[in-house]
Amino acid sequence: MSLLEMNLSELLNRPRLTLAALRGSRRILLRRRDDEDLVLTTAARAEQDHEVMGATSRMFVEMMRTPEGRTLVLDVMPASFPWVRYLPAHDVREFSVELVDALEAAAELDNTAAVAQLIAEWRHTAEVHADPELYAALTTDSGEDLGPVPVPEPGVAA
């Protein structure tokens, strides 16, 4: 991906020059001091990205409908996601099924947030399996009841 980086102030101070830079770059990363960075692209390029993601997701979903496709996906998982090597085999299969479902839904909604979240969750699960001490701490029953778990507040990350 061709990505040009600049400060948001450059876009605000020299909009024509900044937008002209899109001709030689697929995207411009606009750095902001006090907030999340932004990415600027053309509508045509955003539509291309959407079409490619949709086509890739549909192909992947159809591949998973056949035994040969499922085998192939499981064979390539360690190359695509090296951390799956730490997952038990049944978890790798579960991850592949969940990933296909999430990709299909994401293409339909034009929103990849759930796919990114799913990948992050499975990566964290692999981290637990990769660390024997952490795995033991999280899977060993201490025999102690620590009481009720409070209900999380909406919109507050754990």
Side-chain angles (χ1 to χ4, degrees), residues 76-87 92 95 123 126:
V76 300
M77 286 298 258
S80 302
F81 303 99
W83 44 263
V84 302
R85 291 176 178 91
Y86 294 107
L87 294 173
V92 177
F95 170 51
R123 183 182 303 119

Side-chain angles (χ1 to χ4, degrees), residues 26-27 41-54 110:
R26 289 196 49 81
R27 292 174 182 81
T41 191
T42 65
R45 287 189 179 128
E47 181 60 27
Q48 286 173 352
D49 291 345
H50 174 72
E51 287 299 316
V52 168
M53 190 242 182
D110 191 23

Side-chain angles (χ1 to χ4, degrees), residues 15-79:
R16 287 186 186 176
L17 184 61
T18 303
L19 294 177
L22 268 175
R23 287 189 207 109
S25 178
R26 289 196 49 81
R27 292 174 182 81
I28 297 176
L29 177 65
L30 297 172
R31 298 260 181 225
R32 300 194 297 174
R33 269 184 252 141
D34 300 328
D35 211 341
E36 186 176 5
D37 294 341
L38 302 172
V39 175
L40 181 65
T41 191
T42 65
R45 287 189 179 128
E47 181 60 27
Q48 286 173 352
D49 291 345
H50 174 72
E51 287 299 316
V52 168
M53 190 242 182
T56 303
S57 295
R58 286 188 300 276
M59 287 175 56
F60 197 48
V61 167
E62 289 306 314
M63 241 176 55
M64 287 293 286
R65 294 188 201 279
T66 68
E68 300 85 4
R70 286 188 293 275
T71 299
L72 179 60
V73 168
L74 290 172
D75 287 347
V76 300
M77 286 298 258

Side-chain angles (χ1 to χ4, degrees), residues 86 126-137:
Y86 294 107
E127 288 172 330
V128 170
H129 283 280
D131 184 338
E133 289 179 24
L134 180 58
Y135 183 82

